[in-house]
């Protein structure tokens, strides 16, 4: 293509531009250009790359939920017995869960796997506690450490499974 020739955006045929997507080479206008660490790209190329990055299958979400639920169920009685030490158990359970989920789903990445794993941990805890709290509400103040444990476990899970390294 000759130097200085006017290009028109591939998505907005009326908009002249000098930018091109550096992946597919299509002319793109300022509105369509997405700045990435490797330069300007069209939205389609950016979306395509995200789809490649997140490669988890639907079944992986089920596996993640069940694995987190099982670990949450195992951890819940421990947390009840430990009280203050929940501060240390939370990150431990979180990293165990994230590691187990990551391995069980074949190290695939899913955009919402962190959410499913966190939900599994929370469900595991609630399944133990809810009947207890309903039977004897005066035990509720002890839920403080459950909350601490869950918050730390979930933030650890998010650190592992949301911001994939
Ligand atoms: Zn492109
Ligand atoms: Zn455009």
């Amino acid at each position: 293509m000759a130097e200085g020739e006017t290009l028109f955006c591939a998505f907005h045929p009326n908009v002249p531009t000098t930018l091109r997507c550096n992946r597919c080479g299509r002319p793109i206008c300022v509105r369509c250009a997405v700045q990435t660490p490797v330069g300007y790209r069209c939205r389609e190329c950016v979306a395509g790359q995200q789809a490649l990055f997140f490669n988890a299958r639907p079944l992986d979400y089920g596996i993640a939920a069940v694995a987190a639920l099982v670990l949450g169920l195992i951890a819940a009685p421990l947390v009840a017995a430990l009280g203050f030490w929940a501060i240390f158990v939370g990150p431990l359970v979180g990293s165990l869960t994230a590691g187990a989920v990551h391995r069980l789903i074949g190290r695939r990445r899913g955009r919402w796997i962190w959410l499913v794993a966190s939900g599994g941990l929370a469900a595991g805890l609630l399944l133990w506690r809810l009947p207890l709290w309903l039977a004897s509400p005066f035990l509720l103040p002890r839920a403080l450490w459950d909350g601490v444990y869950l918050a730390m476990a979930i933030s650890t899970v998010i650190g592992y499974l949301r911001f994939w390294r």
Side-chain angles (χ1 to χ4, degrees):
M1 197 161 282
E3 194 71 39
E5 189 176 347
T6 309
L7 300 168
F8 290 92
C9 173
F11 305 94
H12 303 95
N14 299 321
V15 183
T17 182
T18 54
L19 286 176
R20 275 177 184 279
C21 170
N22 76 355
R23 187 157 183 273
C24 67
R26 274 188 291 203
I28 43 175
C29 70
V30 187
R31 263 198 293 165
C32 295
V34 180
Q35 192 168 14
T36 72
V38 289
Y40 287 107
R41 295 204 164 164
C42 71
R43 290 183 196 287
E44 276 179 28
C45 285
V46 171
Q49 286 220 305
Q50 281 178 349
L52 273 182
F53 183 74
F54 293 114
N55 53 359
R57 303 169 304 184
L59 180 64
D60 292 338
Y61 283 89
I63 294 172
V66 171
L69 177 65
V70 169
L71 285 166
L73 282 171
I74 295 171
L78 288 175
V79 174
L82 290 173
F84 165 80
W85 300 99
I87 290 183
F88 302 101
V89 178
L92 185 69
V93 171
S95 61
L96 279 175
T97 303
V101 165
H102 196 37
R103 232 154 281 149
L104 283 169
I105 63 175
R107 301 185 183 280
R108 282 180 292 274
R109 293 170 298 256
R111 197 187 290 269
W112 305 111
I113 290 284
W114 64 272
L115 191 64
V116 173
S118 302
L121 281 181
L125 184 68
L126 285 178
L127 278 176
W128 276 97
R129 297 294 193 274
L130 222 48
L132 194 69
W133 291 335
L134 290 176
S136 39
F138 62 87
L139 284 176
L140 260 178
R142 295 186 56 186
L144 171 71
W145 296 117
D146 287 338
V148 169
Y149 148 76
L150 198 60
M152 301 197 80
I154 285 179
S155 62
T156 308
V157 164
I158 290 175
Y160 269 78
L161 295 180
R162 187 172 186 193
F163 307 105
W164 304 86
R165 283 162 293 183

